Amino acid sequence: SQQGEEDPQALSIQEGENATMNCSYKTSINNLQWYRQNSGRGLVHLILIRSNEREKHSGRLRVTLDTSKKSSSLLITASRAADTASYFCATDRAGQGGKLIFGQGTELSVKP
Amino acid sequence: DAGVIQSPRHEVTEMGQEVTLRCKPISGHNSLFWYRQTMMRGLELLIYFNNNVPIDDSGMPEDRFSAKMPNASFSTLKIQPSEPRDSAVYFCASGAGGRDEQFFGPGTRLTVL
């Protein structure tokens, strides 16, 4: 079964608004990563948060991790049309040797 | 750095034919991953290598699929014989080992008629 499950499956917002995507998982993890995929392209790593961290920032991105609830959120502030893409969370499960399990993704559309 | 290189970018073949996908990881990376992406099943890990050794191939769907990594700079994923349900985008990714980010190639879009 999928380790990471994102919601919503699709999100449509206006440029300048914030976008929040959530990810839930089932087992203990070493870290959780967020990736972005533009249509027809490979995935690009955005940010990694380790199991002992609660929040991390990178530019307009903010990621939180709640290991007690087994959930994470990705916030993109002041969104731009160029942020339109699919966003995936991936978990590095404890004891799995670095293997990542990806969720189904959130499709974000930012309208100019 | 050229990033992860995959070839071919597109492959159209007929059912029953052998298909070979190729990947050159980023120099210095010691982990290599093969994924398959479809609308129905999302992104699935097929197999991964660490220091050229296959570590986990539990995601390989059938014996028709095989992967090799003869050296640190090259890997192949072979499907023989191919079937229409193998149509997907196949990604190769590499990593510096441990529990760090993975760098994805542009993918090979495979269509089996």
Side-chain angles (χ1 to χ4, degrees):
Chain A
S1 63
Q2 286 288 350
Q3 166 74 328
E5 296 187 3
E6 290 97 331
D7 82 270
Q9 289 189 332
L11 179 61
S12 182
I13 59 174
Q14 293 294 129
E15 211 166 23
E17 293 180 341
N18 295 342
T20 299
M21 289 159 269
N22 303 296
C23 171
S24 60
Y25 57 92
K26 297 187 175 108
T27 62
S28 295
I29 60 171
N30 294 308
N31 67 60
L32 185 145
Q33 302 178 32
W34 286 90
Y35 287 78
R36 162 192 168 132
Q37 184 180 32
N38 287 81
S39 181
R41 310 287 288 273
L43 280 74
V44 174
H45 181 266
L46 295 176
I47 197 165
L48 179 154
I49 187 164
R50 301 195 188 280
S51 59
N52 60 353
E53 297 175 312
R54 292 297 167 258
E55 188 171 311
K56 209 160 182 181
H57 297 253
S58 176
R60 293 184 297 113
L61 305 180
R62 175 180 156 234
V63 169
T64 61
L65 178 66
D66 186 335
T67 52
S68 66
K69 295 181 180 177
K70 292 187 168 57
S71 67
S72 173
S73 67
L74 171 67
L75 168 68
I76 304 175
T77 60
S79 63
R80 305 166 182 167
D83 294 329
T84 295
S86 292
Y87 292 82
F88 295 87
C89 71
T91 50
D92 174 1
R93 292 184 294 180
Q96 293 294 309
K99 178 170 128 174
L100 290 182
I101 305 297
F102 284 81
Q104 294 285 0
T106 292
E107 198 172 316
L108 174 66
S109 174
V110 182
K111 300 187 187 311
Chain B
D1 194 334
V4 175
I5 298 172
Q6 291 186 247
S7 65
R9 293 294 310 278
H10 301 272
E11 176 84 19
V12 180
T13 191
E14 293 189 345
M15 183 173 63
Q17 296 298 307
E18 177 179 297
V19 174
T20 299
L21 311 181
R22 297 173 176 78
C23 175
K24 177 177 167 53
I26 292 173
S27 178
H29 283 185
N30 60 357
S31 296
L32 184 138
F33 308 82
W34 281 101
Y35 293 90
R36 177 172 68 176
Q37 186 177 39
T38 61
M39 288 294 291
M40 290 297 293
R41 300 174 68 88
L43 193 66
E44 303 173 280
L45 177 67
L46 300 177
I47 185 171
Y48 80 95
F49 296 83
N50 204 35
N51 294 321
N52 312 340
V53 176
I55 302 300
D56 186 338
D57 65 355
S58 59
M60 296 285 262
E62 299 170 32
D63 290 346
R64 297 185 296 106
F65 285 69
S66 62
K68 293 182 180 177
M69 192 163 186
N71 57 62
S73 58
F74 184 65
S75 176
T76 58
L77 178 68
K78 186 175 292 187
I79 308 172
Q80 166 63 17
S82 58
E83 297 183 3
R85 60 193 167 118
D86 301 331
S87 297
V89 181
Y90 291 80
F91 289 103
C92 174
S94 70
R99 293 177 167 79
D100 293 326
E101 64 187 287
Q102 294 180 17
F103 294 79
F104 280 73
T108 294
R109 181 173 296 276
L110 173 65
T111 303
V112 183
L113 302 173

